[in-house]
Amino acid sequence: MSFLWGVMGGPSAGPQPSGAETIQKLCDRVASSTLLDDRRDAVRALKSLSKKYRLEVGTQAMEHLIHVLQTDRSDSEIIGYALDTLYNVISNDLEEEEQEENLTKVDDLGSQFTEIFIKQHENVTLLLTLVEEFDFHVRWPGVKLLTSLLKQQGPQVQQIILVSPMGVSRLMDLLADSREVIRNDGVLLLQQLTKSNAAIQKIVAFENAFERLLDIVTEEGNSDGGIVVEDCLLLLQNLLKNNNSNQNFFKEGSYIQRMKPWFEVGDDNCGWSAQKVTNLHLMLQLVRVLVSPTNPPGATSSCQKAVFHCGLLQQLCTILMATGVPADILTETINTVSEVIRGCQMNQDYFASVNAPSNPPRPAIVVLLMSMVNERQPFVLRCAVLYCFQCFLYKNQKGQGEIVSTLLPSTIDATGNSVSAGQLLCGGLFSTDSLSNWCAAVALAHALQENATLKEQLLRVQLATSIGNPPVSLLQQCTNILSQGSKVQTRVGLLMLLCTWLSNCSIAVTHFLHNPANIPFLTGQIAENLGEEEQLVQGLCALLLGISIYYNDNSLENYRKEKLKQLIEKRIGRENFIEKLGFISKHELYSRAAQKPQPGFSSPEHMMFDHEFTKLVKELEGVISKAIYKSSEEDKKEEEVKKTLEQHDNIVTQYKKVIREQDQELEELKQRITTLMSQNEQLQATVTQQVSQIQQHKDQYNLLKVQLGKDTQHHNSHGDTFQMNGIQTEEVSKLKEELEEWKNKHELLQGQIREKDFLIEKLKSSQLEIGTTELSSQSSRSGGLDHSNELQKELEMLRSQLQLQSAEISQLLIENQKLQVMNTTADPVLGDSGAIVTKSSELEGQLEQQIKELKSEVKALSEEKESLKQHLDSSSSTVAILQDEKIKLQQEVAESKKEQDDLLVLLADQDQKLSALKIKLKDLGVPVEDEDDIESGDQGDEDEDVEEEEQD
């Protein structure tokens, strides 16, 4: 044990062994000792020497230490010593003084030892198994060692852990450890594990990492927490940055809502700690990760909406308008709000409604613009405000219109009590600060981006330059400042504004050319040979002149396209013009600005290009270059082709509108058919139900009829049981019927007698009238007497017949009375016959009553049956009508399909024609539009030809 005493500093005799020799002896002891205590002491000694003699311990003891980890797992103490020793060998976390002296050497050693350790993948798997141990002396050193391995050889270790069974899941258990030291180091381990590895990021996210990390942040006090909150936020950034799957999982899991308490800022914002500033800065960056413009548009839009609906945007705007917020937090908050509202109409509308807590209240946009044009504000803050303004106007025509409207004469506040956004932009545009000039010009250019209507309206803006002088237009004032030779940054900003303003707006080009000093100024700038600083201005002047040619509608005779091209040929030269135009895209600052929308300038001097303007340059550079080399004939042909294509586009648009209307009509008719079919089904169901009800009524009626027949037979059986003096009731009924017949005959005869008496009286009256007048001939008198005698005889005969019939009736009445008396005095043998007759009469009454009820029910059923038949007939007629309409609609659909097929055939023919035109245009050097536009033009041309043929 003498060598141990030497290591531990105890007294020893003789020469002292060197460090390498001591380490060699310790390694032999670890390898050969059979006692666990001896091996433990040797490993502890190696641990104490591992920092000072890192190289020697690493080269000689690593294999033995790994063997200890494999064989002595039952003893946690020796395992802990071995892990600590390996950590000291592999880790580069040395003292500051040593690190400054041996930085390169240390990095090489750590990387080399890590490579040796992970060469055998079983070593990493063994380490993962040890990390699962609950013992603090094993788990904590294991976590630190694995973290160090990931720092040294991250991708290789990540791959080993990824293919290891449940490797990532084992490490996720560290976040649930109740010991804060292990939990916090577990967060650091997961930071290294998730760097630049999307697969591991997804596994960690789906192992409920978001929930656990947010819980830790809440437990630690949100933004007021310590370094642990910072580590959790860094890990969250690793999981979410450039990982669309995790971002969607974070949004769908409603974790965005849990971020709102992070940004609750009180009224007293003084004395923020450095850690709180760091935490809040990382929290804002985490929000920006979710809504970054580099994310897929759909994912960004959904996160923007979620931020608004949970109230997080409102919370950020509160910080934006609060007082006492540190400058770097305010800057990052502005950038965060910018990306939350970028391209989202709902968020942009809300931001436009935010007012600053001032007296009187001012819109937040106005307050931010005041900071942007104030040269005393920090540069990064002014860049953030410009980015916020750009994001507010991005794809927001409503916001663009509101900004431009503050510049128009009809909306300017005459009292001057309030400052508008337009006044601030104009003030910045013409201030003495070149950075304010540039920012205001870029902001105004964004207000005109892709909005031809506002470009025309901005031409109405008039500015009062000085007292006594007439007002000048904004366009004229911009060109005046440009010609005065101000700073390069100011001129670049104004040229970008003019290029954006004139592009795709022929009216603005005409107003620009109307000033006779503009074209000579541009040609003079381009033709001069200036230094490198001025080359950028020359390139922008060439671009502005090219826009004036390309979008020229030839309304000014002196500045037609052909004359401007001749001027370039004489004053500048085409090759020289194209070379100057190419200065823009070749500039280093142009490449930087084209990378991302946010202005990322290191200093104000580098602030030259805007991201959206780089897109415009890329779009117009090639078009202008071709336009310069075109001849007048080619221009005319191009104009004709453009007009033809426009006409075709209009025709195609009309046909598309017609087809769209037909599609809408078809949809409406289909819906109508569906509705009618459903109504038909309902009616058929109703008819079926009513038919079943009728059948039930019929069954009930037949049942009642059968019951009635049985009762009638029972009554007849009782009536046949008795006789009255040998005469049956049937004979009595016959006699009654004969009596009724004789009565009817008697009444008939009396009626005939009355008619005869009336006729006789009429004849007598006629004879008296004849006697008072002149006597007629004898023959006529004798004829009248004969006729009267005949009537008298006939009357006597009728009277005799009447008397005979009266006698017969009297005799029948007497016989009837006798029969009734005989009926009442019947034989005593039939003593119960009276009761039977009474019962029979009662039964007759009941039967008559039942018959009446049945008749009434039968009548009601018949009426109901008739009504159901009528309803069924009407339903059948409705069904027939619906079927006719369905047939008509099917015919219309077939006709529409046929028309569309004809249109497709015509479009195919026209496509061939336009392909030939396209080849001719390419031969002539004319830029050809996209295939979709050409196809739409072909269809319009062919449709027009079809219409002309039909008219002919």
Side-chain angles (χ1 to χ4, degrees):
M1 299 295 291
S2 60
F3 68 91
L4 287 176
W5 283 105
V7 171
M8 303 303 295
S12 61
Q16 296 291 331
S18 63
E21 293 174 352
T22 305
I23 293 168
Q24 181 63 43
K25 293 178 180 179
L26 291 172
C27 291
D28 294 339
R29 185 74 173 174
V30 172
S32 60
S33 295
T34 57
L35 294 177
L36 179 61
D37 292 338
D38 291 344
R39 292 198 303 274
R40 186 189 304 119
D41 292 337
V43 173
R44 182 168 58 242
L46 286 172
K47 174 189 172 184
S48 63
L49 295 171
S50 59
K51 288 186 178 180
K52 185 176 181 180
Y53 299 100
R54 183 181 178 190
L55 177 61
E56 291 80 1
V57 173
T59 54
Q60 299 180 35
M62 181 174 289
E63 185 178 351
H64 302 294
L65 294 172
I66 294 172
H67 183 70
V68 168
L69 295 178
Q70 294 171 346
T71 57
D72 293 332
R73 291 186 56 185
S74 59
D75 186 70
S76 60
E77 192 174 357
I78 191 173
I79 295 296
Y81 291 149
L83 291 172
D84 284 334
T85 307
L86 288 171
Y87 173 74
N88 292 336
V89 170
I90 292 173
S91 175
N92 291 328
D93 299 335
L94 301 178
E95 297 295 332
E96 292 183 2
E97 296 179 359
E98 297 179 2
Q99 192 170 2
E100 290 176 0
E101 295 175 359
N102 304 317
L103 184 62
T104 306
K105 183 178 179 182
V106 163
D107 289 341
D108 292 341
L109 278 178
S111 178
Q112 290 173 6
F113 286 138
T114 302
E115 189 173 353
I116 294 171
F117 184 84
I118 67 174
K119 190 173 183 180
Q120 298 295 329
H121 293 181
E122 294 81 6
N123 296 339
V124 179
T125 306
L126 175 63
L127 190 56
L128 290 174
T129 306
L130 293 173
V131 168
E132 281 189 297
E133 296 288 339
F134 186 75
D135 193 313
F136 180 82
H137 297 287
V138 176
R139 196 171 204 181
W140 188 39
V143 170
K144 293 194 297 181
L145 177 58
L146 191 55
T147 304
S148 183
L149 292 173
L150 286 165
K151 286 181 180 178
Q152 299 296 334
Q153 298 287 341
Q156 293 88 339
V157 179
Q158 284 175 344
Q159 193 62 31
I160 296 170
I161 295 175
L162 190 61
V163 299
S164 177
M166 299 294 291
V168 179
S169 300
R170 296 176 188 176
L171 300 179
M172 283 300 301
D173 293 337
L174 297 173
L175 297 180
D177 199 306
S178 59
R179 294 160 294 193
E180 290 189 2
V181 176
I182 295 179
R183 184 199 68 183
N184 298 342
D185 282 348
V187 173
L188 297 175
L189 170 60
L190 291 173
Q191 278 185 26
Q192 300 297 326
L193 181 65
T194 55
K195 277 185 178 179
S196 305
N197 193 309
I200 294 179
Q201 290 169 2
K202 291 179 183 179
I203 295 172
V204 171
F206 283 94
E207 287 285 345
N208 207 22
F210 293 139
E211 184 76 28
R212 296 180 183 180
L213 291 172
L214 292 175
D215 288 341
I216 294 173
V217 172
T218 304
E219 291 171 5
E220 295 291 327
N222 294 328
S223 60
D224 294 323
I227 189 69
V228 179
V229 173
E230 179 182 349
D231 293 336
C232 291
L233 293 172
L234 290 172
L235 177 55
L236 285 171
Q237 283 192 21
N238 284 352
L239 295 176
L240 293 173
K241 196 169 186 179
N242 299 324
N243 194 316
N244 300 327
S245 175
N246 284 0
Q247 290 175 7
N248 187 57
F249 180 66
F250 191 84
K251 177 183 70 69
E252 295 296 336
S254 300
Y255 295 119
I256 293 178
Q257 288 82 333
R258 296 188 59 179
M259 298 169 69
K260 183 182 176 183
W262 296 355
F263 304 101
E264 292 179 355
V265 178
D267 296 332
D268 186 13
N269 296 316
C270 299
W272 285 26
S273 65
Q275 187 61 55
K276 181 175 182 178
V277 172
T278 302
N279 291 344
L280 202 55
H281 198 274
L282 291 172
M283 290 172 178
L284 292 168
Q285 287 182 348
L286 192 61
V287 177
R288 293 185 64 185
V289 166
L290 295 171
V291 296
S292 173
T294 58
N295 295 340
T300 300
S301 177
S302 60
C303 289
Q304 287 174 334
K305 293 176 182 177
V307 168
F308 175 79
H309 289 304
C310 74
L312 183 54
L313 176 59
Q314 294 85 327
Q315 203 73 38
L316 293 173
C317 290
T318 302
I319 298 176
L320 199 65
M321 295 292 105
T323 56
V325 179
D328 52 347
I329 295 297
L330 182 60
T331 302
E332 191 64 23
T333 304
I334 294 173
N335 289 328
T336 305
V337 171
S338 304
E339 295 183 352
V340 169
I341 67 174
R342 188 176 190 269
C344 181
Q345 187 66 50
M346 177 175 58
N347 294 358
Q348 289 168 339
D349 292 341
Y350 171 78
F351 185 70
S353 65
V354 175
N355 289 323
S358 59
N359 191 15
R362 289 177 177 173
I365 298 173
V366 173
V367 176
L368 292 175
L369 287 177
M370 292 172 69
S371 301
M372 186 185 74
V373 298
N374 187 353
E375 56 184 312
R376 290 177 295 180
Q377 294 292 340
F379 171 68
V380 290
L381 180 63
R382 298 174 74 180
C383 290
V385 173
L386 176 61
Y387 183 48
C388 184
F389 191 74
Q390 293 173 351
C391 292
F392 171 69
L393 297 178
Y394 183 71
K395 293 183 179 180
N396 183 12
Q397 293 190 353
K398 179 182 177 183
Q400 289 176 325
E402 291 174 353
I403 297 298
V404 173
S405 66
T406 59
L407 288 166
L408 300 179
S410 59
T411 57
I412 294 177
D413 187 4
T415 61
N417 293 331
S418 62
V419 180
S420 65
Q423 291 173 336
L424 288 171
L425 290 177
C426 285
L429 195 62
F430 307 126
S431 72
T432 56
D433 179 30
S434 61
L435 184 58
S436 297
N437 301 152
W438 190 91
C439 291
V442 171
L444 197 55
H446 276 263
L448 304 176
Q449 201 78 35
E450 298 179 358
N451 199 324
T453 304
L454 295 181
K455 291 178 182 179
E456 296 177 8
Q457 289 185 2
L458 200 65
L459 296 171
R460 296 165 45 203
V461 176
Q462 299 290 323
L463 302 175
T465 54
S466 60
I467 300 174
N469 292 329
V472 297
S473 66
L474 177 61
L475 182 65
Q476 181 63 44
Q477 184 66 15
C478 290
T479 55
N480 291 341
I481 295 175
L482 193 62
S483 61
Q484 290 173 4
S486 53
K487 293 181 180 179
V488 173
Q489 191 174 38
T490 301
R491 284 182 287 164
V492 168
L494 290 173
L495 285 168
M496 286 196 298
L497 171 60
L498 292 173
C499 290
T500 305
W501 194 347
L502 269 60
S503 64
N504 203 21
C505 184
S506 300
I507 298 176
V509 172
T510 303
H511 278 72
F512 179 77
L513 295 176
H514 197 69
N515 186 350
N518 289 338
I519 296 300
F521 169 74
L522 292 178
T523 54
Q525 288 286 318
I526 299 169
E528 290 182 7
N529 293 320
L530 302 174
E532 293 183 0
E533 294 183 356
E534 295 294 332
Q535 286 183 351
L536 186 57
V537 176
Q538 287 183 318
L540 291 172
C541 289
L543 179 64
L544 183 59
L545 183 57
I547 291 172
S548 302
I549 295 173
Y550 186 72
Y551 292 104
N552 191 348
D553 58 358
N554 294 327
S555 58
L556 295 177
E557 184 63 29
N558 293 332
Y559 296 103
R560 297 175 64 86
K561 286 185 178 182
E562 189 60 31
K563 290 186 177 180
L564 291 176
K565 291 179 185 179
Q566 293 174 0
L567 182 63
I568 291 174
E569 179 68 25
K570 293 178 181 178
R571 296 284 305 275
I572 304 171
R574 292 180 181 178
E575 291 77 10
N576 190 23
F577 179 85
I578 299 300
E579 181 184 358
K580 297 293 177 66
L581 183 63
F583 285 162
I584 302 174
S585 57
K586 294 177 182 178
H587 203 280
E588 179 184 0
L589 297 177
Y590 174 90
S591 302
R592 290 184 187 177
Q595 292 176 359
K596 58 181 181 178
Q598 182 182 2
F601 306 106
S602 57
S603 64
E605 293 77 16
H606 294 160
M607 214 167 183
M608 288 294 177
F609 285 107
D610 172 58
H611 178 74
E612 293 296 326
F613 181 74
T614 60
K615 295 181 181 179
L616 182 66
V617 172
K618 187 177 180 180
E619 177 185 348
L620 294 178
E621 185 176 6
V623 176
I624 291 173
S625 300
K626 291 180 180 179
I628 295 299
Y629 285 99
K630 287 179 184 175
S631 62
S632 59
E633 295 180 356
E634 291 175 346
D635 285 335
K636 290 180 180 179
K637 290 181 180 179
E638 184 180 355
E639 290 295 332
E640 292 176 358
V641 171
K642 283 184 178 179
K643 291 180 180 178
T644 305
L645 291 175
E646 288 177 359
Q647 293 175 358
H648 291 172
D649 290 341
N650 294 332
I651 295 172
V652 170
T653 304
Q654 293 176 0
Y655 274 103
K656 285 182 179 179
K657 185 178 179 181
V658 171
I659 293 172
R660 195 177 297 112
E661 291 175 354
Q662 290 178 350
D663 289 339
Q664 291 177 356
E665 291 178 359
L666 285 174
E667 289 296 329
E668 292 176 356
L669 293 173
K670 287 179 181 178
Q671 292 177 0
R672 187 178 174 188
I673 289 173
T674 305
T675 305
L676 293 175
M677 288 177 69
S678 63
Q679 291 178 357
N680 184 21
E681 291 176 357
Q682 292 177 359
L683 291 173
Q684 287 180 352
T686 305
V687 169
T688 305
Q689 184 179 1
Q690 291 175 352
V691 168
S692 64
Q693 290 178 358
I694 291 170
Q695 187 63 37
Q696 291 177 2
H697 289 308
K698 285 182 178 180
D699 295 340
Q700 292 176 2
Y701 172 71
N702 292 330
L703 183 60
L704 291 172
K705 192 173 180 182
V706 171
Q707 291 178 356
L708 180 61
K710 290 181 180 180
D711 292 339
T712 305
Q713 293 175 2
H714 182 70
H715 173 67
N716 292 334
S717 65
H718 283 287
D720 294 339
T721 57
F722 64 93
Q723 293 180 351
M724 296 175 292
N725 289 334
I727 300 174
Q728 295 179 351
T729 55
E730 294 180 357
E731 295 180 356
V732 174
S733 61
K734 289 180 180 179
L735 291 172
K736 287 181 178 180
E737 291 176 357
E738 290 179 0
L739 180 60
E740 291 295 330
E741 290 178 359
W742 284 111
K743 284 182 179 180
N744 293 333
K745 289 181 180 179
H746 182 260
E747 291 177 356
L748 182 60
L749 290 172
Q750 284 184 347
Q752 291 177 356
I753 290 170
R754 283 193 295 271
E755 290 178 358
K756 297 297 181 182
D757 289 339
F758 176 73
L759 184 58
I760 291 168
E761 292 296 331
K762 187 175 181 181
L763 289 171
K764 286 181 179 180
S765 62
S766 63
Q767 286 178 359
L768 290 173
E769 290 176 357
I770 291 170
T772 57
T773 58
E774 294 182 356
L775 295 174
S776 61
S777 63
Q778 189 65 30
S779 60
S780 61
R781 245 194 338 265
S782 61
L785 290 172
D786 293 337
H787 183 64
S788 177
N789 291 332
E790 289 177 0
L791 290 173
Q792 288 290 339
K793 291 178 182 179
E794 190 176 354
L795 182 60
E796 291 296 331
M797 189 184 296
L798 290 170
R799 283 177 178 174
S800 61
Q801 290 178 0
L802 182 59
Q803 290 174 359
L804 291 172
Q805 290 176 356
S806 299
E808 289 177 0
I809 289 168
S810 300
Q811 187 178 359
L812 289 171
L813 286 171
I814 292 168
E815 290 178 358
N816 187 19
Q817 289 175 357
K818 288 179 180 180
L819 289 171
Q820 289 178 357
V821 171
M822 291 170 69
N823 189 16
T824 55
T825 59
D827 193 0
V829 177
L830 303 171
D832 295 336
S833 63
I836 293 172
V837 171
T838 304
K839 289 183 178 179
S840 64
S841 62
E842 291 177 356
L843 289 172
E844 286 179 0
Q846 292 178 0
L847 289 172
E848 288 177 358
Q849 184 67 26
Q850 290 180 358
I851 289 169
K852 288 180 180 179
E853 292 177 357
L854 289 172
K855 286 183 178 178
S856 62
E857 289 181 4
V858 170
K859 185 178 179 181
L861 290 172
S862 300
E863 293 176 354
E864 188 175 1
K865 181 180 178 182
E866 290 297 327
S867 64
L868 290 174
K869 283 183 178 179
Q870 292 177 359
H871 193 63
L872 181 60
D873 294 338
S874 63
S875 299
S876 300
S877 62
T878 305
V879 171
I881 293 170
L882 292 175
Q883 289 178 350
D884 293 339
E885 289 183 358
K886 180 179 179 182
I887 293 170
K888 290 180 181 178
L889 292 174
Q890 289 177 348
Q891 292 177 354
E892 291 179 359
V893 170
E895 292 175 358
S896 299
K897 288 183 177 179
K898 184 178 179 182
E899 291 178 359
Q900 291 179 358
D901 292 337
D902 296 338
L903 286 174
L904 290 173
V905 172
L906 294 174
L907 286 172
D909 296 336
Q910 190 65 17
D911 185 72
Q912 296 178 355
K913 294 181 181 180
L914 199 56
S915 299
L917 286 175
K918 180 180 177 181
I919 294 170
K920 291 181 180 180
L921 289 174
K922 284 185 177 179
D923 296 336
L924 295 173
V926 177
V928 182
E929 295 181 357
D930 295 336
E931 195 67 25
D932 295 335
D933 297 332
I934 297 175
E935 289 178 1
S936 63
D938 289 341
Q939 184 180 357
D941 187 34
E942 190 62 28
D943 293 338
E944 185 179 9
D945 295 338
V946 171
E947 288 183 356
E948 291 176 359
E949 291 176 3
E950 290 178 354
Q951 292 176 359
D952 294 337

